[in-house]
Amino acid sequence: MGIYHFVAASERFLCEEEPLEELLRERTRNYAEHDKAIDFWLVRQPAFLESGAIGPEVDSVPRPAAALISTDRKFITFMKLRLEFVLRGCFEAPSDTIADALASIGN
């Protein structure tokens, strides 16, 4: 099983109101410069929020939701401090395949 850390909020907040695109673009550039594999993903309408495995606090996240998911706990802690009004947590994907962790309920 893979452990993934996340921050989640309304899709509008993460994708429109916050400068998330700029932060992720800068992190992607930095990873490329250091030959580091990408370990973070933005998922719209993430399935793990609907699975019931996270706990009742996910009900506080407005829908449609989006989540920034990473295997790097420190990065997610930084993003929680940077974005402030997000839910932070972690979950285990049912297998080691990244597709399970990044599943979306959206179209």
Side-chain angles (χ1 to χ4, degrees):
M1 289 195 173
I3 296 178
Y4 297 90
H5 305 272
F6 71 89
V7 289
S10 75
E11 188 173 340
R12 181 176 181 179
F13 178 76
L14 279 183
C15 299
E16 296 174 25
E17 295 176 13
E18 283 295 314
L20 187 61
E21 181 181 351
E22 179 181 335
L23 291 167
L24 297 180
R25 188 174 30 249
E26 174 60 26
R27 189 160 179 93
T28 301
R29 183 194 59 74
N30 180 273
Y31 274 34
E33 288 178 359
H34 293 92
D35 292 323
K36 185 173 178 183
I38 297 295
D39 62 359
F40 60 92
W41 306 268
L42 179 64
V43 179
R44 295 173 186 253
Q45 300 182 40
F48 75 88
L49 287 180
E50 308 303 329
S51 70
I54 304 298
E57 62 272 9
V58 300
D59 293 337
S60 68
V61 178
R63 304 304 199 267
L68 179 59
I69 302 170
S70 179
T71 57
D72 184 344
R73 181 182 54 81
K74 289 181 182 180
F75 174 57
I76 293 300
T77 299
F78 166 77
M79 293 306 293
K80 167 61 175 154
L81 295 171
R82 172 65 180 80
L83 298 172
E84 196 172 340
F85 300 110
V86 295
L87 173 68
R88 184 184 81 167
C90 66
F91 66 96
E92 289 186 64
S95 72
D96 285 329
T97 65
I98 193 69
D100 289 335
L102 304 181
S104 174
I105 60 170
N107 296 335

